[in-house]
Amino acid sequence: MTTLTRRIGSAQLEVIVADITTLGVDAIVNAANTSLLGGGGVDGAIHRAAGPELVAECRTLHGCKTGDAKITKGYRLKAAHVIHTVGPVWNGGTHGEDDLLASCYRRAIELCREHKLTSVAFPAISTGVYRFPAERAAEIAVRTTIEMLPLAPSVARVVFCCFSEPSAKLHAEALVRHSGPC
Ligand code: ADP
């Protein structure tokens, strides 16, 4: 199974294959939809594991724009917080999809900085029902996260929590490309 750990500056970046709802980090990121009221995929799994208090708090947020992010508590999750972000639906790549996906990672890490969080785990945003090509998404995820780290000194650990071996391989390859062979 592909797992990889790289140190970049003072932060540790990891690629793992896991169910993100099981991770004991300061925040897990949710690939939500604009309603923030729950859905399928990782969104459904996070809401199921967090319990009904999560959707109750989400109702107070009045949705979220594509490329933006909002933070809630984690309720019954091990993670203290959930950062809800809305990835773009893939529509051929000429509708700003790359920039919107990068914005999800940027806004999530900005929230980590604002809330002084030290560890955060990302799913492969938009690569499920939103159909963003997995390799292109992994490159954007890793590159944007690394670009943001100097701006978010509280963040000491970033986990790319993949849900399949092929997804983990793509993230590991991107992390090696951006951090050197060892
Ligand atoms: P989107 O609508 O942004 O495409 P999905 O939830 O459909 O969101 O998929 C996003 C990614 O999350 C996919 O790679 C999917 O395999 C993955 N995923 C689904 N469930 C989980 C989970 N429990 N933990 C981590 N990743 C998950």
Side-chain angles (χ1 to χ4, degrees):
M1 185 178 302
T2 300
T3 59
L4 182 77
T5 302
R6 282 285 185 278
R7 182 157 285 282
I8 295 185
S10 59
Q12 177 167 301
L13 283 77
E14 299 168 30
V15 177
I16 62 171
V17 179
D19 174 352
I20 201 165
T21 65
T22 65
L23 301 183
V25 287
D26 285 350
I28 60 171
V29 176
N30 182 14
N33 56 52
T34 54
S35 79
L36 295 187
L37 297 180
V42 70
D43 193 9
I46 288 171
H47 276 273
R48 274 194 302 278
E53 299 95 334
L54 181 60
V55 78
E57 183 175 356
C58 285
R59 270 194 209 100
T60 69
L61 300 176
H62 306 295
C64 182
K65 294 203 172 106
T66 302
D68 199 2
K70 295 190 176 180
I71 191 167
T72 65
K73 291 190 274 193
Y75 299 99
R76 300 178 201 181
L77 292 165
K78 263 200 236 166
H81 300 88
V82 179
I83 295 174
H84 307 264
T85 190
V86 183
V89 176
W90 179 258
N91 194 10
T94 57
H95 296 78
E97 292 94 330
D98 289 350
D99 289 345
L100 287 165
L101 185 62
S103 176
C104 291
Y105 287 88
R106 265 199 305 274
R107 288 288 303 125
I109 291 176
E110 282 171 6
L111 286 172
C112 291
R113 178 188 61 201
E114 284 166 29
H115 293 264
K116 299 192 169 50
L117 307 185
T118 65
S119 55
V120 59
F122 287 97
I125 300 163
S126 282
T127 66
V129 294
Y130 284 2
R131 303 182 322 272
F132 204 109
E135 183 170 3
R136 189 162 169 153
E139 166 64 22
I140 291 168
V142 170
R143 187 180 63 221
T144 309
T145 299
I146 291 173
E147 281 169 5
M148 287 299 292
L149 286 176
L151 305 174
S154 68
V155 178
R157 181 175 176 223
V158 178
V159 180
F160 296 101
C161 179
C162 301
F163 209 46
S164 71
E165 176 62 29
S167 175
K169 194 162 176 283
L170 293 172
H171 285 78
E173 285 166 359
L175 186 51
V176 168
R177 272 199 301 280
H178 286 280
S179 63
C182 60

